[in-house]
Amino acid sequence: MTSAPAVPTRERSSPPFQRPGVVGTSTVRADGIPKVRGEFEYSSDVRMDGMLWGATLRSPHPRADIWSVDFSRALAIPGVRAILTHEHVPGRKLYGMERADQPVLAWQHVRYQGEPIAIVAAEHPETARRAITAIDVDYDVLEPLTDPDRAMAADAPQLHLSGNVLRHVRIVHGDPDVAADLVVAGEYEVGMQDQAFLGPESGLAVPDGEGGIDLYIATQWLHADRDQLALSLDLPPENVRLTMSGAGGAFGGREDLSMQIHACMLALHTGRPVRMVYNREESFFGHVHRHPCRMRYEHGASADGRLVFVRARIVLDGGAYASSSTAVCSNAACFAAGPYDVPNARIDSYVTYTNNPPCGAMRGFGAVQVAIAHEAQMDKLAAALGTDPVELRIANAMRPGSRLPTGQIIREPAPVAELLTRVRAMPLPRVPADGGPDPRELPGGVANTTHGEGVRRGVGYAVGIKNVGFSEGFDDYSTARVRLCVNDGEPLVEVHTAAVEIGQGLVTVQAQIARTELGVERVAVLTADTRVGSAGSSSASRQTYVTGGAVKAACEAVRERLGADPRTMTADELAELLGDDAIEETIEWRHRETYPLDENGQGNAHVQFAFSAHRAVVDVDVELGLVRVVELATAQEVGKAMNPQALEGQIEGGTAQGLGLALFEEIQIKNGRVLNASFTDYLLPTILDMPPMRIEILEHADPDAPYGLKGVGEPPHISTPPAVVAALRAASGRSLTRIPVRPEHIVGLESAELAVSLADLGGLFEHSPWVAEGTWRRAPFGSVGELDAALEAAVREAPRDRQLALIRAHPELAVREAEEGTLTRGSSSGQASTGLNRLTAGELEAWRRLNRSYRERFGFPLIVCVREHTNESIIAWGNARLEHSGEQEIEVALAEITKIARLRLADLLEEVS
């Protein structure tokens, strides 16, 4: 290695002064003009003389064992200054926000495509990239585990020592087994969405020459990064200093570490600054994504349309590492029933490890996925009742005093019905005149092959709910330091927090609060860094609430020390009173306490709730599957509009991102491999896709929040996708149970996969042709998912006596294998797959005891989807199920029958194809 040049010191420029308006007025953002002019410094722009360039070697395989890493060829390349592997990590080799399970650099195993294995520092970025390609890794490639349901099976490979199930949240509220006059069921699926921020991961690590490190980084949580860095670098936290650099968006994708530890390791090893910048493809592998989700729902209602129960099973794919998956799992469970008054509920939410890319925080954080399901269910229920879907929502809407399924009472304000009423009352866009539509306004535009013959208009509504702030007992606080002084003869307020600006307008809001509380026109918001106490993460729509509360409290403390109210004084009077003195106060501010959920999912887990409603109007060419979103209308309850113009921007941005999820955005994965890691292939909505919007803002103050405000960033993204999909269903007449919705879903091209007959379906359920007949009445089916949902609905909506007859039609496991002709083909192959036709005499006797006890207890045979189990796990589970009540066991048996039928359907479709 050559000796490194002396490390220069990077001086920080003073923050620009602002002259903000007071709270409640539209204020120009300090970063607005520099961004428009291209003068804003993003993290990828930060440079330093004498710096090296870092690069990362990533696994091409989603699952493999590592036998060896040989970097001798790479180290011989001129200009390469360091190559590091897991052996060079000075401290803790694992990191993670909630669970330290992710290797800084992989050793022994890789668990997803793109996992980092080695890092390089070189004099030139191209040299670093060449060195990466010269590193030789000997892999033993393994079959990836990519299905989250499969990951929960007893015989699935265990990806972590703790098992594959990261968290299971069960909520039991009221009597979930209560009967209802009408029951509707459905299965829904949400794909993996990317945050798609424009600024890729990047940063500059600068060694201080004394063993410490300075990192200039675009992140969402400076102190969480610092603490994880300190552990892995084996340094005291005070020797690890982070400064926020310009962020080109985040949306949750910068909450986890990416290249932070890598850049610091290389800088400390070489003694020189190291800059790392991901390209777009690497960025797709460098951050977490939204959890894909599968959901199965049942809604029960009375004949007059009042909700009686909600039962839901939610399975989230957490990918290879934990990230914030446990919190997402909890959020999905808490808001699974939507913003409705539901007296009875049973909700099971699971998140599992797989060999897919890691998933974590993204705008909406679990509430987005379940909104797709609970809103589709409300539309389905309205259709079954023959009532208006908006009226049904209003009749069941939460109001102050309502309870979540967690038992938590909803406080003021909760204007769900008002939001829906306001959105419905907004004027609808014009319908094309009799002369025919303008070709420019058709789905597909003027280049379309038709002229609107197959275009149908649809209107859909949806409403969403989400928590604001951290929940379940997390110590959620922020720190603010406020200094009042005289600068150049004028009063000046300096505000210093570690709350990071990621595009949401937080710097401006802090300045507005200082102006409001101290009455001083000139405000400087210092660059966020770790020289001040933690402000928590810029996520969960929390910063204006929590850091805003801290800044407000610090300003009040300054005002108290001043001994006079500066808001009533002129600038000259205040400058004279201060003289050469400065008044500085630092305040740590917390919202009211929250509590963990108990074993039944009960507890006051959240501090605040935000609500929004959307109406979507779409034109759909039902022959070609093309879609044009004509208009999106929304009403959102915000408590207090701190900066009205910025608020509208947040609502428009969140709505656009929701539109993307509904129609375009999905990371395509096959066998654990990402197929579209580019903005060429990962489709994003453009300005041409975004329709005109109507926005109404409701300001009902939250009495517990600073200024009565509510977090506003996430709700628009929650209610937009289900509204768009509802409108597509109204126009196309198809169920559309999976998002994003593709053209082939709308025109039914997937139905080619469903070339099955009524006779074929009859074999899916043991000696019970009535299930197939009930299913067939729901045809046609646009997808396998729609057929699955129809099969389950036929079972779930049947009278209890028919359900019991279906259960009793199933054979006892491992007993009738020798009785020729008693097993159907499906039962025979299923039992054989688990070895139940090859039992020893002792095993057979154990089965006979279990079956006898089970039948005596419940009056019907033990039913298990055996393909998900081993002989031993079935016996263990069967004995455990003897503790169930009769009603509990009927529900478990029906769920297992549904799984069996789903697997048999997959086998059938494979045979047909």
Side-chain angles (χ1 to χ4, degrees), residues 732-807:
S732 68
R734 296 196 175 274
S735 299
L736 303 178
T737 57
R738 189 188 190 282
I739 66 166
V741 178
R742 307 290 187 199
E744 59 267 27
H745 303 157
I746 294 170
V747 300
L749 289 181
E750 286 191 346
S751 61
E753 301 177 21
L754 305 180
V756 293
S757 66
L758 175 60
D760 291 326
L761 295 181
L764 302 181
F765 295 87
E766 295 287 316
H767 307 294
S768 303
W770 61 266
V771 180
E773 292 164 3
T775 302
W776 204 252
R777 284 193 290 271
R778 302 166 190 264
F781 310 109
S783 67
V784 176
E786 289 182 21
L787 177 53
D788 271 338
L791 287 165
E792 181 173 7
V795 173
R796 291 292 183 176
E797 295 171 17
R800 185 61 102 192
D801 59 341
R802 272 207 150 177
Q803 292 176 338
L804 285 170
L806 172 62
I807 294 172

Side-chain angles (χ1 to χ4, degrees), residues 439-756:
R440 292 169 298 179
E441 297 181 356
L442 288 172
V446 294
N448 202 342
T449 57
T450 65
H451 299 286
E453 298 89 346
V455 174
R456 306 286 184 270
R457 177 155 290 188
V459 180
Y461 293 84
V463 62
I465 176 176
K466 189 192 176 290
N467 60 318
V468 173
F470 295 151
S471 301
E472 292 194 82
F474 190 91
D475 185 16
D476 194 9
Y477 70 93
S478 183
T479 311
R481 181 179 299 148
V482 173
R483 185 172 187 266
L484 177 62
C485 63
V486 177
N487 175 274
D488 291 336
E490 289 186 62
L492 172 70
V493 179
E494 291 183 344
V495 178
H496 189 191
T497 74
V500 300
E501 171 71 64
I502 51 174
Q504 78 274 45
L506 180 62
V507 167
T508 304
V509 166
Q510 292 179 77
Q512 286 181 274
I513 293 172
R515 168 73 188 275
T516 301
E517 297 301 323
L518 295 175
V520 174
E521 286 191 9
R522 291 200 311 161
V523 180
V525 178
L526 277 61
T527 301
D529 57 29
T530 53
R531 294 181 300 153
V532 66
S534 177
S537 173
S538 286
S539 62
S541 302
R542 63 178 288 281
Q543 281 292 16
T544 302
Y545 188 128
V546 184
T547 294
V551 173
K552 183 175 186 291
C555 288
E556 290 168 346
V558 167
R559 204 167 62 215
E560 185 175 344
R561 272 190 56 194
L562 183 65
D565 190 344
R567 296 171 295 184
T568 64
M569 304 169 69
T570 67
D572 290 341
E573 289 171 340
L574 180 57
E576 183 178 352
L577 178 62
L578 287 168
D580 294 331
D581 295 332
I583 299 175
E584 181 176 292
E585 289 288 341
T586 302
I587 295 292
E588 203 172 79
W589 190 89
R590 287 170 169 81
H591 57 63
R592 72 170 183 270
E593 192 174 2
T594 61
Y595 301 91
L597 298 173
D598 66 17
E599 65 275 7
N600 289 316
Q602 301 298 293
N604 293 328
H606 307 292
V607 67
Q608 190 187 60
F609 303 99
F611 306 92
S612 65
H614 271 80
R615 182 189 69 199
V617 180
V618 302
D619 283 343
V620 180
D621 190 324
V622 296
E623 297 172 356
L624 299 176
L626 299 176
V627 174
R628 174 175 172 261
V629 181
V630 177
E631 182 189 82
L632 291 167
T634 185
Q636 184 167 331
E637 200 282 300
V638 304
K640 174 68 175 179
M642 302 288 284
N643 184 346
Q645 185 180 54
L647 169 62
E648 288 192 12
Q650 281 276 43
I651 293 173
E652 290 174 353
T655 298
Q657 208 163 26
L659 173 67
L661 176 60
L663 294 176
F664 304 105
E665 297 185 46
E666 182 178 9
I667 296 179
Q668 300 287 335
I669 298 174
K670 185 174 183 179
N671 297 326
R673 297 179 184 274
V674 176
L675 305 180
N676 59 334
S678 73
F679 282 173
T680 300
D681 300 312
Y682 180 87
L683 301 181
L684 290 164
T686 69
I687 193 170
L688 297 177
D689 299 302
M690 188 63 189
M693 285 196 67
R694 298 179 189 270
I695 299 174
E696 284 198 23
I697 294 170
L698 276 66
E699 294 185 89
H700 299 311
D702 180 342
D704 297 322
Y707 305 105
L709 67 86
K710 284 191 173 186
V712 300
E714 293 173 286
H717 191 40
I718 296 168
S719 50
T720 300
V724 171
V725 179
L728 295 177
R729 291 190 193 103
S732 68
R734 296 196 175 274
S735 299
L736 303 178
T737 57
R738 189 188 190 282
I739 66 166
V741 178
R742 307 290 187 199
E744 59 267 27
H745 303 157
I746 294 170
V747 300
L749 289 181
E750 286 191 346
S751 61
E753 301 177 21
L754 305 180
V756 293

Side-chain angles (χ1 to χ4, degrees), residues 1 70-83 121 131 134-135:
M1 299 286 181
D70 182 356
F71 50 80
S72 57
R73 288 195 304 124
L75 199 57
I77 296 174
V80 172
R81 296 291 174 252
I83 299 177
I135 298 174

